């Protein structure tokens, strides 16, 4: 992070703490890819279809969509539409023309844009109702703060998945 958000010349400690924790979690995730070429980063090492590059791609899309939610509010999604399911599944795969290098560059750009946008908010109280989805309680709104906390949870959960995938690949562990 190159700049600090401030209100009336004082650092917004809460906002900076959230951005710092997001950056740390992204770094933990990216550590699982260190020393891997694209073939190994796209190898599935468990019974699932998860691979490390796909996890990064997914988290990039998740982060972009949640920042768009803070900016513009919810987007209606038809969860019964097969295209919705296919789009979700493709969010974990490298498709034609996508590369590990490109996915990593996109993720770095998303992180930069997130930090810039979050620092530009007047406060973390901007709020929108959550989209209609089976996993969200009806009528609940989330603030920018809630979204950032959710993003931390999402990245942390997938860091655990990435650790398992990497350890199954070659025994390497993110920590220790």
């Amino acid at each position: 992070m190159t700049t600090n958000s401030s209100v009336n010349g004082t650092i917004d400690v809460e906002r900076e703490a959230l951005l710092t924790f997001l950056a740390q979690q992204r770094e933990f995730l990216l550590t699982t890819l260190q020393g891997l070429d694209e073939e190994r980063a796209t190898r599935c090492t468990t019974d699932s279809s998860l691979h490390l590059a796909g996890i990064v791609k997914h988290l990039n899309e998740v982060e972009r969509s949640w920042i768009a939610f803070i900016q513009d509010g919810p987007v209606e999604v038809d969860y019964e539409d097969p295209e919705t399911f296919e789009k979700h599944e493709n969010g974990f795969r490298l498709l034609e023309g996508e590369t590990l290098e490109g996915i990593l560059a996109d993720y770095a750009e998303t992180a930069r844009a997130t930090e810039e946008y979050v620092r530009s908010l007047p406060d973390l109280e901007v709020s929108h109702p959550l989209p209609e989805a089976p996993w969200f309680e009806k009528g609940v709104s989330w603030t920018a703060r809630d979204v950032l906390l959710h993003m931390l949870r999402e990245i942390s959960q997938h860091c655990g998945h990435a650790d398992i995938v990497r350890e199954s690949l070659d025994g390497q562990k993110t920590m220790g």
Side-chain angles (χ1 to χ4, degrees), residues 50-130:
L50 282 178
H51 55 69
L52 295 171
I55 292 170
V56 174
K57 179 181 176 183
H58 168 72
L59 286 172
N60 184 54
E61 291 177 5
V62 164
E63 187 165 332
R64 286 180 187 231
S65 68
W66 279 113
I67 295 302
F69 170 84
I70 295 170
Q71 291 175 320
D72 305 319
V75 173
E76 189 174 323
V77 176
D78 180 359
Y79 293 103
E80 302 299 320
D81 185 347
E83 286 184 27
T84 300
F85 178 77
E86 183 178 352
K87 182 180 179 193
H88 175 75
E89 291 298 303
N90 285 340
F92 287 95
R93 301 179 184 124
L94 265 60
L95 303 177
E96 182 81 26
E98 293 179 329
T99 64
L100 175 60
E101 184 179 326
I103 295 298
L104 294 173
D106 285 348
Y107 196 46
E109 173 54 27
T110 296
R112 186 207 59 74
T114 293
E115 290 181 8
E116 180 180 305
Y117 176 71
V118 169
R119 287 189 177 109
S120 76
L121 292 171
D123 57 50
L124 298 179
E125 295 303 313
V126 61
S127 166
H128 296 288
L130 287 172

Side-chain angles (χ1 to χ4, degrees), residues 12 14-15 18 69-70 117-118 121-129 141-149:
D12 183 337
E14 178 189 24
R15 189 182 324 223
L18 289 167
F69 170 84
I70 295 170
Y117 176 71
V118 169
L121 292 171
D123 57 50
L124 298 179
E125 295 303 313
V126 61
S127 166
H128 296 288
S141 291
W142 275 8
T143 64
R145 176 186 301 98
D146 296 325
V147 169
L148 295 171
L149 289 167

Side-chain angles (χ1 to χ4, degrees), residues 20-51:
T20 296
F21 279 105
L22 279 170
Q24 289 170 347
Q25 288 304 305
R26 288 188 206 101
E27 273 305 307
F28 286 143
L29 175 67
L30 295 175
T31 298
T32 63
L33 284 107
Q34 286 181 347
L36 297 180
D37 60 16
E38 187 164 317
E39 187 277 322
R40 291 178 67 201
T42 56
R43 189 180 302 163
C44 299
T45 62
T46 66
D47 285 340
S48 79
S49 60
L50 282 178
H51 55 69

